[in-house]
Amino acid sequence: MSTIHVLIEPACANAALYLQSIAGLQKGAVQQRKKIKFYQSAQEMLSVNDANIAVIVSANLDWTQCAAQQLRSEGFKMILVGAALEVLGEDFSGPTLNRPDLVKRLLEYFISAGRTRIACLGNQTQDINDQIRINAFLNYGKSLGLSVSAHDVYDSDEGLHLCIERFLDKAGRYNGAICVNDMVAIELLAQAKQRGIKVPEELFVAGSGDFRM
C-alpha cells in the first residue's frame, strides 16, 4: 500500500477521544513514508480504485456495522480503531483493550477501600465500547457481591452535564463513581465541588484514558 485509507465516523472526526488515534495514524503514515487519505462515508471510499484495506475509526455500533457491510461486500479487509473488535466479528483486525478487566480492577480497588455503593457514569447506549463497560460493571459487580443494577448506570445520551446532574441528585446513595473516561471524571469533580460534595472523603471518582486536560 502506498496510501493508507481511513474511514472516520463523522461524529468522531472532531471528538477529543479519537483525535489522538487519528494523530497516531498520521504519524505512522509519515514514518512509513505513506500517504494518508480520510473519508467520511464508505460509499466515498468504494469509489477509489486502488483501495482494498480500510482503517475504520468509529464508536457507534450501527454506523460501524453499516460501513463494514458495504466495505465487506466489495472485498475490503478492515482494521478497526476505537471500537472493540470482539463485538463485530472475526474479520476485523485492530488494536485491543481489555475493557472488562479494566472495569473489574476498578471495582476491586473501590471495594478494597470500603466503597461498595458504586455507580457507572457517562456511557452512551450506542457506543460499542461503553456497552462492554456497562456489561462488565453489572456482571463483575454482582460476582463481587455488590448490589448493582441498571439503575446504577447513568448514561450520557442527553449530554454529559445532564448525566452528572442526574447522578448528583442521587449522590447520597453512592460512595463511588466509575466514569467512562477522564473527561467525564473531571466534569463530575467540577459539579460535585459546586454542590459541596467532598472527593474523595464522600465520593471516590475514577476515570480512564490518561487524557491530558
Side-chain angles (χ1 to χ4, degrees):
M1 295 174 63
S2 60
T3 303
I4 299 172
H5 300 277
V6 182
L7 173 60
I8 301 177
E9 178 189 345
C12 295
N14 297 306
L17 289 172
Y18 297 96
L19 288 175
Q20 291 185 46
S21 296
I22 294 168
L25 290 168
Q26 291 172 315
K27 182 178 179 181
V30 170
Q31 290 174 342
Q32 295 186 34
R33 298 179 180 178
K34 298 182 185 296
K35 298 177 182 178
I36 190 165
K37 189 170 182 180
F38 296 103
Y39 306 83
Q40 289 197 334
S41 73
Q43 200 62 41
E44 182 186 1
M45 182 175 281
L46 290 174
S47 65
V48 181
N49 295 326
D50 66 338
N52 60 0
I53 298 177
V55 178
I56 303 176
V57 180
S58 65
N60 183 280
L61 179 59
D62 290 344
W63 188 92
T64 306
Q65 288 179 325
C66 180
Q69 184 176 2
Q70 293 181 64
L71 294 171
R72 189 182 289 118
S73 67
E74 296 297 324
F76 273 76
K77 296 179 180 180
M78 291 166 286
I79 302 171
L80 200 59
V81 175
L85 308 177
E86 57 266 34
V87 177
L88 292 161
E90 296 182 355
D91 59 339
F92 286 90
S93 298
T96 60
L97 172 65
N98 193 335
R99 291 174 177 84
D101 183 64
L102 172 64
V103 173
K104 182 182 180 183
R105 287 187 285 113
L106 284 170
L107 286 168
E108 289 173 342
Y109 176 77
F110 275 41
I111 292 170
S112 74
R115 305 295 168 130
T116 57
R117 295 178 285 112
I118 306 170
C120 183
L121 263 72
N123 303 278
Q124 295 184 331
T125 56
Q126 266 294 307
D127 188 291
I128 301 168
N129 303 317
D130 291 1
Q131 286 306 303
I132 291 174
R133 290 173 184 265
I134 291 170
N135 291 335
F137 171 77
L138 296 173
N139 294 334
Y140 283 128
K142 291 173 183 175
S143 71
L144 293 170
L146 302 178
S147 58
V148 293
S149 73
H151 296 295
D152 301 312
V153 176
Y154 294 82
D155 68 67
S156 60
D157 289 352
E158 296 179 2
L160 178 57
H161 194 83
L162 289 176
C163 164
I164 293 175
E165 277 191 351
R166 284 189 287 112
F167 167 72
L168 290 177
D169 287 342
K170 301 176 181 178
R173 300 180 185 179
Y174 303 99
N175 54 22
I178 293 178
C179 301
V180 67
N181 57 53
D182 291 340
M183 292 188 291
V184 175
I186 286 179
E187 180 67 22
L188 174 56
L189 292 175
Q191 290 197 42
K193 183 177 181 180
Q194 292 175 356
R195 296 196 185 205
I197 297 171
K198 296 180 180 179
V199 177
E201 294 86 352
E202 296 175 310
L203 184 70
F204 267 31
V205 177
S208 65
D210 290 336
F211 290 101
R212 181 175 293 178
M213 302 296 176

